[in-house]
Amino acid sequence: MPPKCRFTREQIIQVALELTAEKGIGALTARSLAQRLGSSAKPIFGLFTNMEEVQQEVLKAADQRYQAYLQEDMSAGQYPPYKASGMAYIRFAREQRELFKLLFMRDRTNEEKAAGEELEALLSLIRQSMGLSWEEAYRFHMEMWIYVHGIATMIATAYLEWDLDFISAALTDAYQGLRLRFGQTGQTGQTETKQKKE
């Protein structure tokens, strides 16, 4: 009977997550993980098929950590819910730089790009507050998210070091500008339609 492993899958995943958070996914190898565990690599491969499986579990665990940021900021009441989602994304980029890079700055060529419940919830917030159609809300969100992702990426790569107050003001400026633009587009579209009829 083989000896009982002194680590669980969950413990190994947690150690692998912390190692990745500190040094990046490139530093997560069987050797580095075993060293962090204070053991040989045998326990790892007794519970996982290979290091690719470990990396996939780390990816899931990193997403869970991001979701916790999202839930915390959206329920805190410091910002309106839609803005809070952007602030959580940027805060995650600042406080969990390597995990942010893993989740949001990797090649996603072969990944399914589905809308998902998270996106639908955000679009619902936009539609309720602005009275836009689903298509308009989607475009509004994508244009806003380019701005949010840009700030987050520059912070994650240490290009920017903005504080949260400055970031909050910048997001408000972008949001108000887009809100005005979408209001004008709707009015312009109505005017053009009337002119064509006349």
Side-chain angles (χ1 to χ4, degrees), residues 170-190:
L171 292 191
T172 295
D173 289 345
Y175 178 87
Q176 294 297 349
L178 273 175
R179 190 180 177 98
L180 180 63
R181 178 247 184 242
F182 272 77
Q184 289 178 335
T185 298
Q187 293 168 0
T188 303
Q190 290 172 359

Side-chain angles (χ1 to χ4, degrees), residues 144-156:
M144 190 70 207
W145 211 247
I146 289 169
Y147 190 68
V148 170
H149 180 69
I151 293 173
T153 299
M154 287 188 282
I155 287 174

Side-chain angles (χ1 to χ4, degrees), residues 106-131:
R106 69 178 192 277
D107 185 349
R108 306 177 87 154
T109 304
N110 297 318
E111 292 184 19
E112 185 178 346
K113 296 174 178 64
E117 292 180 10
E118 186 181 315
L119 176 58
E120 289 297 337
L122 293 174
L123 296 184
S124 179
L125 289 172
I126 296 168
R127 294 182 69 191
Q128 288 172 13
S129 65
M130 296 179 60

Side-chain angles (χ1 to χ4, degrees), residues 5-17 19 28-45 47-48 51 54:
C5 181
R6 61 192 177 100
F7 300 106
T8 65
R9 278 179 64 93
E10 291 71 25
Q11 287 171 330
I12 292 175
I13 291 166
Q14 189 59 39
V15 171
L17 178 67
L19 178 59
L28 180 58
T29 63
R31 175 179 285 184
S32 65
L33 182 53
Q35 187 175 27
R36 184 65 64 96
L37 288 165
S39 74
S40 69
K42 190 174 181 180
I44 300 167
F45 296 116
L47 294 170
F48 298 90
M51 282 305 294
V54 176

Side-chain angles (χ1 to χ4, degrees), residues 13-196:
I13 291 166
Q14 189 59 39
V15 171
L17 178 67
E18 296 308 326
L19 178 59
T20 302
E22 291 172 24
K23 300 184 177 182
I25 194 67
L28 180 58
T29 63
R31 175 179 285 184
S32 65
L33 182 53
Q35 187 175 27
R36 184 65 64 96
L37 288 165
S39 74
S40 69
K42 190 174 181 180
I44 300 167
F45 296 116
L47 294 170
F48 298 90
T49 305
N50 50 38
M51 282 305 294
E52 185 177 341
E53 185 183 356
V54 176
Q55 290 173 351
Q56 287 303 311
E57 291 300 325
V58 167
L59 191 62
K60 292 176 189 175
D63 183 62
Q64 288 174 354
R65 185 170 290 186
Y66 166 64
Q67 293 300 326
Y69 269 68
L70 199 60
Q71 185 176 18
E72 180 183 347
D73 282 21
M74 290 184 75
S75 61
Q78 184 177 359
Y79 309 106
Y82 182 68
K83 181 176 184 177
S85 69
M87 291 298 292
Y89 188 79
I90 292 169
R91 188 167 69 88
F92 185 76
R94 188 171 74 167
E95 297 175 7
Q96 303 285 335
R97 290 185 178 190
E98 294 302 331
L99 297 185
F100 178 86
K101 292 174 190 176
L102 173 65
L103 289 174
F104 304 112
M105 295 177 67
R106 69 178 192 277
D107 185 349
R108 306 177 87 154
T109 304
N110 297 318
E111 292 184 19
E112 185 178 346
K113 296 174 178 64
E117 292 180 10
E118 186 181 315
L119 176 58
E120 289 297 337
L122 293 174
L123 296 184
S124 179
L125 289 172
I126 296 168
R127 294 182 69 191
Q128 288 172 13
S129 65
M130 296 179 60
L132 299 177
S133 68
W134 190 94
E135 290 77 12
E136 289 170 329
Y138 179 80
R139 180 166 178 176
F140 184 100
H141 175 67
M142 287 296 105
E143 292 188 25
M144 190 70 207
W145 211 247
I146 289 169
Y147 190 68
V148 170
H149 180 69
I151 293 173
T153 299
M154 287 188 282
I155 287 174
T157 55
Y159 185 80
L160 292 180
E161 290 294 341
W162 290 351
D163 62 37
L164 290 180
D165 288 340
F166 191 93
I167 292 167
S168 175
L171 292 191
T172 295
D173 289 345
Y175 178 87
Q176 294 297 349
L178 273 175
R179 190 180 177 98
L180 180 63
R181 178 247 184 242
F182 272 77
Q184 289 178 335
T185 298
Q187 293 168 0
T188 303
Q190 290 172 359
T191 303
E192 288 174 353
T193 302
K194 287 180 182 178
Q195 289 174 345
K196 284 179 182 177

